[in-house]
Amino acid sequence: MRLFTKAVTWQVAGFFSMMLIGFIFTGSVAASSGIAFVGSVAGFVSYFAHEMAWARVSWGRGINPARTHLNAGKNAVEY
């Protein structure tokens, strides 16, 4: 749910930025709205897929405490 909320809020901010840029280039509110809408949908899908892919990458997260326990009986070592 957090990922979805981040993606939505990011796209809302991006929508208004794209709409302003589109208006500057076209002078048309209708054209800039269309550009911003299509860009927002594409950006949302791309951002969500990118975050889902990175959620599966463990690189850079540090050591997972659940995997650092060496089973050595009563003398178990954790590092």
Side-chain angles (χ1 to χ4, degrees):
M1 192 61 176
R2 176 181 160 82
L3 171 60
F4 181 79
T5 303
K6 277 179 59 178
V8 169
T9 57
W10 175 255
Q11 285 311 121
V12 168
F15 176 83
F16 288 109
S17 297
M18 282 189 279
M19 191 169 171
L20 177 62
I21 293 167
F23 182 75
I24 290 169
F25 278 92
T26 66
S28 168
V29 173
S32 64
S33 296
I35 292 166
F37 178 76
V38 172
S40 290
V41 170
F44 177 83
V45 171
S46 298
Y47 178 80
F48 197 83
H50 181 261
E51 287 289 324
M52 292 295 289
W54 269 102
R56 296 173 184 255
V57 175
S58 61
W59 175 78
R61 289 189 182 177
I63 298 173
N64 183 352
R67 296 183 184 195
T68 60
H69 184 78
L70 296 176
N71 188 3
K74 66 180 182 175
N75 297 323
V77 177
E78 290 190 35
Y79 58 96

